[in-house]
């Protein structure tokens, strides 16, 4: 199938490689053309504009940083709506706001173009190995058409609901991960303050109700002091900023998420932006 | 071995049954003698006072509600110090404060009596099946002596450290469980407010970094609306009260735990005291 890919960063590049490996014909464009070098060496065709990519493909993947990036790619001069024919499907794998997604999906539909939200979890390793968890917001019909492509990049590909539902699921993922990292960090700080080594505590608790991926992996990072990411604190803070914006927009009470954003901001200020976000454990815990 | 058991409630009764099943000779006393009926029918000897129990056994198990109960059993008239010989080991399976535990252990030591803290997780089902997780605070020597007995009641029996360390581990367990329940509840509330069904979200997230025992079991309770405990909100609140007291005493900053206590208190006020604490999901989440 003729496929476009825009956003060849840490996540997008390995995803585009996996699509080429599966036999698809890729068309790419990049804000800095040199970032497309490796994928072009693997046979992708480089196009001069986003509109040209959009005009040549049936499905166009995006993997960028924020809502503004997506909006520019879709609607700016020489953007997707300039080149995209009726029936084009844009699959946005970026983590952005569900509300922005829904608005852009409506605007694209006026041009006969579908927008699917398909944010991922699983990190760079998951992208390289094609083992991402992908949460999809789309109609059942459109989901059935893009699912085979997504399965080249991820092992768990779930339709959560209609437009925006993938982004909502990703926000839920970030809320739960954040709360659990905070809880494990606070428990270990509590143990240390009470004069008890947290190492045997983590081991004793892993098999019980406190057991989780976070207690296992992030708990180990905290206790070994090895904060190689993983998921960088600065990006984690960005994702919780998206959650925060939706909380504000929906007038929700979500005190745990708000506390999480504050703590992540504190960690970035403390200089932990480029290390794993489990480094919130290192923040001062005495009054 | 001659063993004493005081505190034949929901947890203590099945634990005492498992000790009898393993061939030990039990001596019991109960504030309300009728609660000892079943264990006496199974061959336990009923004693008229706590002091009498203490005088007849090598190891005495306690399983009561709070620090005051333990203090009364140990130090009140006709209590443990009245009857207990030098070398007696008291194993307290209650969930109480680590600081209270350390103080009582010191006082008992003046009488030649050891106090071991051995709080559990795993609930009534774990107590009945003998599959509890038991977190122990004791010297290595004393731990080695009581471990074979604890293995009749639990499958994971871990020495965390010296006196009080078992209670600290239990507090850590409660902090992590609380934070994780809060996070799952808030994520599901977020999804509902954003118009997305949380059921496929839970399923998509179970295999990723958000995956945990709580997302699995408590998440299912929230989404099915079946709040059969499990662990009652009122008891959960009590345990977080113990955490709160230690936070205060150590001048710690532990905002997640404090928020957890507040939310559990709100849930008890809302009438959810006797149902599973995952019912915090039902609390109002709009401003």
């Amino acid at each position: 199938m003729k496929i476009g890919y825009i956003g060849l960063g840490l996540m997008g590049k390995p995803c585009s490689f996996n699509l080429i490996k599966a036999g698809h014909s890729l068309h790419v464009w990049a804000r800095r053309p040199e970032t497309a070098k490796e994928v072009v060496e693997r046979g992708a065709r480089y196009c001069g504009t986003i509109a040209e990519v959009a005009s040549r493909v049936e499905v166009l993947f995006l993997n960028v940083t924020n809502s503004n990036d997506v909006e520019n790619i879709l609607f700016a001069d020489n953007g997707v709506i300039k080149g995209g024919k009726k029936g084009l499907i844009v699959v946005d794998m970026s983590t952005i706001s569900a509300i922005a997604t829904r608005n852009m999906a409506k605007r694209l539909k006026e041009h006969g173009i579908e927008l699917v939200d398909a944010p991922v979890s699983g990190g760079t390793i998951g992208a390289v190995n094609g083992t991402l968890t992908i949460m999809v917001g789309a109609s059942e019909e459109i989901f059935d058409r893009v699912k085979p492509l997504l399965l080249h990049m991820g092992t768990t590909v779930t339709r959560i609901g209609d437009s925006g539902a993938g982004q909502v699921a990703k926000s839920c993922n970030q809320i739960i991960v954040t709360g659990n990292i905070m809880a494990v960090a606070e428990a270990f700080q509590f143990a240390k303050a009470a004069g008890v080594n947290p190492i045997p505590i983590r081991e004793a608790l892993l098999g019980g109700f406190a057991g989780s991926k976070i207690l296992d992996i992030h708990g180990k990072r905290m206790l070994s002091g090895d904060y190689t990411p993983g998921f960088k604190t600065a990006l984690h803070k960005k994702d919780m900023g998206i959650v925060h914006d939706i909380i504000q927009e929906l007038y929700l009470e979500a005190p745990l998420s708000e506390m999480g954003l504050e703590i992540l901001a504190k960690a970035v200020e403390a200089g932990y932006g480029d290390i794993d976000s489990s480094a919130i454990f290192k923040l001062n815990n005495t009054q």
Side-chain angles (χ1 to χ4, degrees), chain A residues 41-57:
Chain A
E41 282 168 5
R42 281 170 166 78
R45 170 166 179 170
Y46 191 82
C47 301
T49 62
I50 295 166
E52 190 191 336
V53 177
S55 72
R56 293 184 182 277
V57 300

Side-chain angles (χ1 to χ4, degrees), chain A residues 141-153:
Chain A
E141 186 213 330
I142 298 290
F143 177 70
D144 289 342
R145 288 173 59 193
V146 298
K147 189 181 177 184
L149 298 174
L150 292 170
L151 282 170
H152 297 313
M153 298 175 269

